[in-house]
Amino acid sequence: MMSVLDNAAWASLTGPHAGFAERVGQAVRYPVDVSVFLAVPDEPSDGVWDDVAALAGPGAVVPVLPQAGPPPPDWELLDKMAGVQLVDAGVDAVPDPEAVRLTLADVPEMLDLVARTKPGPFLPRTVLLGTYLGIRYNGALVAMAGERLHPPGWTEISAVCTDPAYRDRGLAGRLVRAVAAGIRERGETPFMHAVATNANAIRRYEGMGFRLRRTNAFGRVRIPEDWRAAA
């Protein structure tokens, strides 16, 4: 049976995050300053890659889209890596007394922390996708985690990162549990994605009560600068 988690970006952009959606034909995406995700339906018709290109524009970089099949041969594959999807299977989700809600006013510090820790894409307006929590020491933001994709009934925990000077104190785990608590309060279920080679992170998440649901692949392709829609 298909799950909304099998095509989580599509389920988000045509569901709870529909207010963010930009669309051309079968292709839908978040604004480019909100998220890198672009999606197509589970069983698109012919011309889906033309819709992707019309939405993103010549020269743009877009995700590999398994539902759409192989991209046109003149599109450049930039990278591809294995990933995993993990779902809540008994996470000890509890609020954290030190966690503070982060807003647009905190974005410069959030972007700086992301640049130094590289947890994955985080853009100037990603914070609008859901609740982001942080921990501050001496006024400085040293750890954060928040909500990204939002398929019906589910919310993804993302942007989990800690300043290198404050690692091994359990801050990331505390924030993951706190974000998960907020998701559970809404009657939804947390899930996460991770790069398959990040064995330490996966082991920590499984130790918190997440379980591996599926493996997947992440990748990016570049649309040719001289792309023109098929006649």
Side-chain angles (χ1 to χ4, degrees):
M1 183 180 295
M2 292 292 291
S3 165
V4 293
L5 295 185
D6 293 338
N7 194 354
W10 173 265
S12 300
L13 284 162
T14 59
H17 279 172
F20 290 101
E22 299 176 348
R23 187 164 189 166
V24 171
Q26 303 170 83
V28 63
R29 72 173 180 183
Y30 288 94
V32 295
D33 61 349
V34 173
S35 176
V36 299
F37 284 104
L38 182 152
V40 298
D42 294 325
E43 298 181 358
S45 58
D46 292 344
V48 63
W49 285 109
D50 281 342
D51 291 342
V52 170
L55 177 59
V61 174
V62 298
V64 169
L65 300 168
Q67 297 81 11
D74 56 339
W75 291 33
E76 179 188 4
L77 178 65
L78 298 178
D79 51 45
K80 191 172 184 180
M81 64 187 72
V84 298
Q85 186 180 77
L86 304 128
V87 295
D88 178 6
V91 174
D92 181 19
V94 291
D96 191 281
E98 283 194 284
V100 295
R101 178 75 180 263
L102 302 175
T103 70
L104 283 169
D106 300 296
V107 165
E109 283 185 280
M110 298 170 79
L111 290 171
D112 177 69
L113 183 59
V114 165
R116 290 184 286 112
T117 57
K118 304 189 185 324
F122 184 89
L123 302 167
R125 293 202 300 144
T126 301
V127 70
L128 299 180
L129 293 178
T131 299
Y132 278 79
L133 300 178
I135 291 177
R136 292 182 176 278
Y137 285 165
N138 299 318
L141 181 66
V142 299
M144 73 176 195
E147 301 173 357
R148 189 169 62 174
L149 294 178
H150 193 180
W154 299 81
T155 300
E156 180 193 23
I157 300 176
S158 183
V160 182
C161 55
T162 303
D163 185 304
Y166 292 86
R167 286 179 182 162
D168 300 321
R169 302 188 187 191
L171 302 183
R174 287 166 51 187
L175 288 173
V176 168
R177 292 183 177 92
V179 174
I183 294 169
R184 291 251 197 90
E185 285 179 4
R186 299 197 300 265
E188 298 169 351
T189 305
F191 73 108
M192 304 185 76
H193 289 106
V195 177
T197 55
N198 194 347
N200 288 336
I202 294 169
R203 186 163 51 248
R204 286 196 299 269
Y205 296 144
E206 288 178 329
M208 290 181 197
F210 288 92
R211 68 167 175 83
L212 177 66
R213 177 180 178 268
R214 63 176 295 189
T215 59
N216 50 22
F218 305 114
R220 301 179 302 156
V221 292
R222 189 188 306 277
I223 302 168
E225 292 283 358
D226 59 354
W227 172 84
R228 294 291 182 273

